[in-house]
Amino acid sequence: MKLIRQLLFFIFLCNTVIAQDIDYARNVINDLCAPEMYGRGYVNGGDESAAHYLRNQLEKMGVSAFDFNYYQDFKINVNTFPEAMEVDVDGKQLHPGIDFIVSPDAPSVNGEYDIIYLNKSVIGNPNKMDEFEKTNKKGKVVVMDSTGFNKVQKEYFVAAEQNSFEATVIIKLIPEKLTWGVSQEVSSFSTLEILKKSFPENGKKITLNITNKFLSKYGSQNILGFIEGKTKPDSSIVFSAHYDHLGMMGSETIFPGANDNASGTSMLLNLAQYYSKPENKPDYTIVFIFFGAEEAGLVGSKFYTENPVFPLEEIKFLINIDLAGTGEEGITVVNGSVFEKEFNTLKDVNDEKKYLMQVKVRGKAANSDHYYFSEKGVPAFFIYTMGGIKAYHDVYDKSETLPLTEFQDLFRLLTDFVKTF
Ligand SMILES: [Zn+2]
């Protein structure tokens, strides 16, 4: 009886330890996705608020700073939309983020415009096509819908997207999913993507009120800290994740970026919390780098590799985490086939412990912050989770619907993997 009671107490203890970790993970994601973080972009200083938050978390855990109070500053040019974002077709108001997105490089556009169509009924009819080509598109809005186009027609469509006919705005009707981004430049014209089902059929007039604000040499930052190794302090394992996201599209619409990449950021803070406990003190020095401006084109990590705070040669291995919030279909390891030995070790650990249903190998790809490191000869993986929800670079990537299915298993796999070095 006593044994059973002890056993039950032990199970209870295990569960509370696990529960605490996942609670902290979820709290971090909630905090990073909160309205006052403004989608961790460049409207209302969202990036700065997130950086400040991370710095405070590291300080609270007793993670050491290299210099400058955990900050590494850099500059970025970026196009933003802090103000108006209105689209109205024949009196029907469309909702930003839900019905439409504006191209990240869009300039301001204000006014009421006539609509010209380029779709299946036009491109498949020589007379209508002739008329389309003859019509002056300047000062007009061209609405393009490639549904049902054949290969040749699609090529024409792709060329038309370049807007050589100088329409004021190009609108593309999209069948189902809107995917936004960040641009470091401003185009000479705006492109809008509108969900096909949200666009009034044969709409005649469109009213646009879109205001961009280009920020030149905007100050953003990476946040970094370290926990000194017990036996090999001069060699380090680096965990990295970008904390920035897309920010806002207009004064009302926030892109929270829960999976991308509040989840990876939270994983790093969970690892920091783990390694900062005396009983988990690592052999190698563990460095945590939270990169800024990844979504604008890997700006923070590129800057870091050009201005490292300690020699890149001292990095034994770098593990970049981006999109850690699902895992129903396991994980993919970018650079897995480049660093085969380490990949096999990671896979062996997973097979033995049965954490994730799959550890999938992938080659080199410039798709997150590991890229400029491995280009400079630093051995690095980029790990992302697969399966589950499909929200990505849209307003639906929020904490409420992020499952964190394999978050704890991924955490265990990472800490076990570090022990193999
Ligand atoms: Zn990302």
Side-chain angles (χ1 to χ4, degrees), residues 38-49:
Y38 303 105
R40 306 186 304 283
Y42 313 95
V43 172
N44 303 330
D47 68 315
E48 208 185 321
S49 301

Side-chain angles (χ1 to χ4, degrees), residues 242 244-245 259-261 294-295 322-323 367-368 392-393:
H242 76 87
D244 65 297
H245 194 57
N259 197 17
D260 187 9
N261 187 27
E294 189 265 1
E295 303 289 5
D322 192 352
L323 308 169
N367 54 357
S368 192
Y392 176 74
H393 280 215

Side-chain angles (χ1 to χ4, degrees), residues 165-182:
F165 36 68
E166 293 176 48
T168 301
V169 171
I170 295 281
I171 290 177
K172 292 193 274 178
L173 298 187
I174 303 291
E176 47 195 20
K177 163 89 175 76
L178 300 171
T179 304
W180 206 42
V182 179

